Amino acid sequence: MTSPHWGDGTRSVHAGLPDAVPGQPFLPGPVFAAPYHLDPSRGPSAARDGYGRPDNPTRRLLETAIGELEGGDCLVFASGQAAITGLLLTVLRPGDTVALPADGYFSVRAFATDTLEQLGVRVVLVPTAGPYPSFDGVRLVLLETPANPGLDVADVRVVAAAARAAGALVAVDNTTATPLGQRPLDLGADVVVASGTKALTGHSDLLLGYLATRDAGLRDAATTWRNATGGVPGAFDCWLAHRSLATVDLRLARQSANAEALVALLAGRADVTGLRWPGWPEDPAYPVASAQMRRIPGVLSFDLGDADRVARFLDASRLVAAATSFGGVHTTADRRAQWGDDTAPGFVRFSCGIEDSADLVADVASALDTAG
């Protein structure tokens, strides 16, 4: 178990590792199994692992690791969407009301409209930066902070206190920040949910989601839901994710430094508008983000005017790949309107990778000049 007094890099490297045994690796290889040997007399009660859907030691090691970083008990899911929909369907019942971010991940709002409302759940959409309505009668408040893709920030302590006073549960989508950026459970949230596909694992080679909580009842209910619906990640993806956690501190540091360098470039260009990055002192989210977050992620957003100019910019760049995820080691940019987000045609979500800052800044400047 990692020490809470260790720094981010130390905790990331050692999170979830088993005790040292001479002749054994630091991180054991993935266990590939659907069935396991059972005791002929006692059956599954004799050992921890009985069948691969609910039981896998590689998955448990990853859950221990993420749980140590988030500060709660963790369950991993096959994707971030599996984790967040699993939480919603575990907690909500017909007649309940849920408050969701109006400017957060669009797939969650689509799920609310297509599924939750059809099941009799009332959905209220609230801007991440507020103003917030009364939470009286609300069963669950979901925050996404920083919000994806607009990057507004919610004051988790303030919202959690108001929600709890009204009897509501509070969940925070921690995908963009990661547990090294903020620990929502320490800020008053009941549960954290996130996509581990993004910056947490960072190598763009797996899908993963997770839920973390200190509420044993909620953890048990979510475990029952996951086991019944089967949305578990495979052993190899869990092993890849755990391996990748060792470098998350280093990756986030470079990504954040690259974002800061790019903001300095973009803020001085008249052909770039709507620049957002919560670590920029001129950003409207900066006062809350600088007080609440331990580090700012390497994701920024801006507007290049129209879809054609975004395409010209991406064609001209040698280091920025057109891709829809974020938080990876490669710098990527994504025109969000093409996926159905309610954004302007030229709105770009830009995810800084771990390239050298000087190279990335020079490449972006040249590509913008070429795009016209």
Side-chain angles (χ1 to χ4, degrees):
M1 170 138 344
T2 59
S3 167
H5 304 295
W6 289 345
D8 286 347
T10 305
R11 292 189 302 114
S12 300
V13 168
H14 291 272
L17 296 184
D19 292 337
V21 176
Q24 296 299 309
F26 292 173
L27 177 63
V31 174
F32 299 112
Y36 303 87
H37 287 293
L38 297 178
D39 184 287
S41 300
R42 297 172 58 197
S45 65
R48 189 165 190 181
D49 296 314
Y51 183 62
R53 175 163 33 84
D55 309 319
N56 184 276
T58 306
R59 188 188 308 146
R60 286 197 298 272
L61 286 178
L62 175 62
E63 289 174 334
T64 298
I66 298 175
E68 289 178 6
L69 297 178
E70 285 284 7
D73 292 332
C74 175
L75 291 174
V76 292
F77 289 77
S79 68
Q81 187 72 354
I84 199 165
T85 56
L87 170 67
L88 294 171
L89 291 172
T90 294
V91 170
L92 299 171
R93 297 292 181 268
D96 285 344
T97 297
V98 60
L100 299 178
D103 49 345
Y105 185 43
F106 77 100
S107 289
V108 175
R109 295 195 302 278
F111 177 78
T113 301
D114 297 341
T115 300
L116 293 181
E117 289 186 338
Q118 304 306 313
L119 295 175
V121 175
R122 178 173 173 259
V123 177
V124 177
L125 298 179
V126 183
T128 295
Y132 294 91
S134 168
F135 294 127
D136 289 342
V138 174
R139 169 63 174 151
L140 176 68
V141 177
L142 173 65
L143 303 175
E144 182 180 11
T145 180
N148 167 33
L151 300 177
D152 272 332
V153 171
D155 189 323
V156 176
R157 288 189 189 278
V158 170
V159 177
R164 283 194 166 185
L169 290 172
V170 179
V172 175
D173 185 331
N174 208 27
T175 300
T176 307
T178 82
L180 270 62
Q182 64 190 10
R183 300 218 311 180
L185 298 179
D186 292 343
L187 299 173
D190 297 288
V191 58
V192 171
V193 65
S195 169
T197 308
K198 312 298 192 297
L200 186 71
T201 60
H203 290 273
S204 306
D205 54 9
L206 59 90
L207 296 177
L208 186 79
Y210 70 87
L211 174 158
T213 184
R214 297 169 183 167
D215 184 325
L218 181 56
R219 176 203 63 206
D220 291 346
T223 301
T224 298
W225 171 268
R226 187 190 66 175
N227 291 348
T229 56
V232 295
F236 189 59
D237 281 355
C238 288
W239 183 85
L240 281 175
H242 200 163
R243 179 208 60 175
S244 299
L245 288 182
T247 62
V248 63
D249 174 60
L250 300 175
R251 290 185 279 104
L252 293 178
R254 174 60 68 85
Q255 290 166 347
S256 183
N258 281 345
E260 185 173 17
L262 280 172
V263 166
L265 166 74
L266 299 174
R269 294 191 63 115
D271 57 351
V272 176
T273 62
L275 178 62
R276 295 296 307 272
W277 185 56
W280 182 33
E282 296 186 35
D283 191 279
Y286 179 80
V288 175
S290 60
Q292 175 172 279
M293 301 182 68
R294 299 174 60 245
R295 66 175 79 198
I296 307 298
V299 182
L300 54 145
S301 64
F302 50 85
D303 199 314
L304 294 184
D306 57 61
D308 289 341
R309 186 160 184 255
V310 175
R312 294 195 302 273
F313 164 71
L314 292 172
D315 284 339
S317 172
R318 298 176 63 189
L319 296 181
V320 183
T324 192
S325 193
F326 62 91
V329 295
H330 306 93
T331 294
T332 61
D334 189 14
R335 193 178 69 81
R336 292 307 301 166
Q338 66 189 329
W339 299 102
D341 267 345
D342 185 19
T343 55
F347 177 94
V348 175
R349 182 183 65 192
F350 193 99
S351 174
C352 296
I354 62 170
E355 297 89 352
D356 289 297
S357 296
D359 295 335
L360 186 57
V361 168
D363 179 78
V364 169
S366 175
L368 287 171
D369 289 341
T370 301

